[in-house]
């Protein structure tokens, strides 16, 4: 067996790593083909009286499986008097961002699991076998994601979608002290918000009460 192993010079780790590299390259190739086919379909479906094709423009994205570089059509929208990339708008490409949503999510998850941006970048490098994204890029993505979530929250508060109305709404706020392990701080206080519509008996003859339509935050 040792002679055979030395002859073929192959191990499970090597096989797994090499196949992963081949699959990444295949993913990038197919991804580019799909994007270009979609771009062509969109161009054929657009109203030529409104959209005038001008040129092919390149774009690069860092994805879960490597760097994807492709070209898509740029149009001039005569109705709105602006340049547009229909493929970008259809697929909701991140504006002025070269990291795909999938890689953003994976990077932020790694940052939360490891507790630092540098550790997240190192973790991704260990998984993929090459530097995927820098710790500074992960930090910037985390900041941008936080700002976007705050914006959506403000929009929801300004224009609530709910139609249900209640006479009273109770908000109870408290703190829960949680012990920490392997941290400089020994404990931390987590804030707890409970929202409910009042109290009602657990059942008609009960002397115990429960909260009505409660939600915890």
């Amino acid at each position: 067996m040792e002679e055979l192993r030395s002859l073929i010079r192959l191990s499970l780790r090597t096989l797994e790593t090499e196949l992963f590299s081949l699959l990444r390259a295949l993913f990038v190739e197919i991804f580019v083909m799909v994007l270009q086919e979609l771009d062509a379909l969109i161009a054929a479906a657009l109203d030529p009286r409104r959209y005038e094709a001008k040129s092919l423009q390149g774009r690069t994205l860092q994805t879960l499986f490597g760097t994807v570089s492709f070209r898509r059509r740029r149009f001039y929208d005569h109705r709105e008097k602006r340049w547009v990339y229909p493929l970008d708008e259809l697929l909701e490409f991140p504006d002025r961002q070269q990291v795909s949503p999938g890689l953003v999510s994976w990077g932020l998850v790694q940052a939360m699991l490891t507790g630092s941006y540098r550790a997240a970048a190192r973790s991704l490098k260990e998984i993929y076998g090459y530097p995927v994204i820098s710790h500074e890029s992960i930090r910037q993505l985390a900041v941008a994601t936080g700002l976007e979530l705050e914006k959506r929250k403000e929009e929801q508060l300004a224009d609530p979608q709910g139609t249900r109305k209640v006479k009273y709404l109770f908000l109870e706020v408290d703190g829960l002290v949680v012990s920490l392990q392997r941290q400089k701080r020994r404990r931390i206080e987590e804030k707890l918000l409970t929202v409910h519509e009042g109290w009602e008996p657990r059942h008609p003859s009960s002397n115990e009460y429960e909260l009505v339509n409660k939600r915890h935050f």
Side-chain angles (χ1 to χ4, degrees):
M1 185 62 67
E2 290 298 332
E3 294 179 359
L4 182 59
R5 183 179 295 111
S6 62
L7 179 63
I8 63 175
R9 295 180 180 179
L10 188 65
S11 67
L12 180 59
R13 180 182 179 85
T14 304
L15 180 61
E16 186 178 17
T17 303
E18 292 299 324
L19 284 177
F20 182 68
S21 298
L22 289 173
L23 289 174
R24 284 198 300 106
L26 182 61
F27 169 86
V28 170
E29 182 179 344
I30 294 176
F31 199 6
V32 172
M33 291 174 55
V34 170
L35 291 175
Q36 292 177 343
E37 287 292 333
L38 282 174
D39 190 55
L41 289 174
I42 295 171
L46 292 177
D47 184 356
R49 294 170 296 181
R50 175 178 175 180
Y51 297 97
E52 181 181 357
K54 289 295 184 178
S55 60
L56 286 171
Q57 297 292 321
R59 178 158 188 181
T60 299
L61 278 177
Q62 299 292 334
T63 73
L64 285 170
F65 288 90
T67 303
V68 175
S69 298
F70 58 96
R71 302 175 71 190
R72 76 276 198 235
R73 292 169 175 82
R74 181 178 68 156
F75 291 82
Y76 185 74
D77 186 344
H78 289 282
R79 179 183 299 177
E80 297 188 5
K81 309 297 182 183
R82 66 185 183 96
W83 295 98
V84 295
Y85 295 94
L87 180 68
D88 294 23
E89 295 184 5
L90 176 68
L91 298 182
E92 298 181 348
F93 279 7
D95 189 25
R96 296 185 298 277
Q97 180 176 300
Q98 294 186 345
V99 183
S100 71
L103 185 54
V104 170
S105 299
W106 189 222
L108 295 180
V109 167
Q110 289 298 310
M112 289 187 293
L113 292 176
T114 60
S116 76
Y117 302 123
R118 290 184 183 275
R122 288 196 301 268
S123 177
L124 290 174
K125 181 179 179 180
E126 293 175 358
I127 294 173
Y128 285 89
Y130 66 95
V132 180
I133 186 173
S134 68
H135 70 276
E136 176 59 23
S137 295
I138 296 177
R139 187 193 70 82
Q140 293 178 3
L141 291 172
V143 172
T145 301
L147 293 175
E148 178 63 24
L149 291 175
E150 287 292 334
K151 179 182 177 182
R152 293 183 183 180
K153 180 180 177 181
E154 292 177 358
E155 292 175 349
Q156 290 176 351
L157 292 175
D159 184 23
Q161 299 300 313
T163 57
R164 185 167 174 270
K165 296 182 179 181
V166 296
K167 187 174 183 180
Y168 299 106
L169 186 65
F170 298 87
L171 289 83
E172 300 182 12
V173 183
D174 201 350
L176 176 65
V177 178
V178 181
S179 299
L180 301 178
Q181 296 181 352
R182 296 186 296 275
Q183 301 288 339
K184 292 182 179 180
R185 300 177 61 182
R186 301 297 298 275
R187 59 182 57 87
I188 187 173
E189 183 181 15
E190 292 290 346
K191 301 299 188 295
L192 176 65
L193 168 64
T194 301
V195 180
H196 61 93
E197 299 173 24
W199 303 262
E200 65 180 4
R202 292 185 180 275
H203 52 82
S205 59
S206 175
N207 292 325
E208 296 181 352
Y209 289 79
E210 62 182 1
L211 300 179
V212 179
N213 294 330
K214 63 182 178 182
R215 294 191 64 182
H216 300 294
F217 299 89

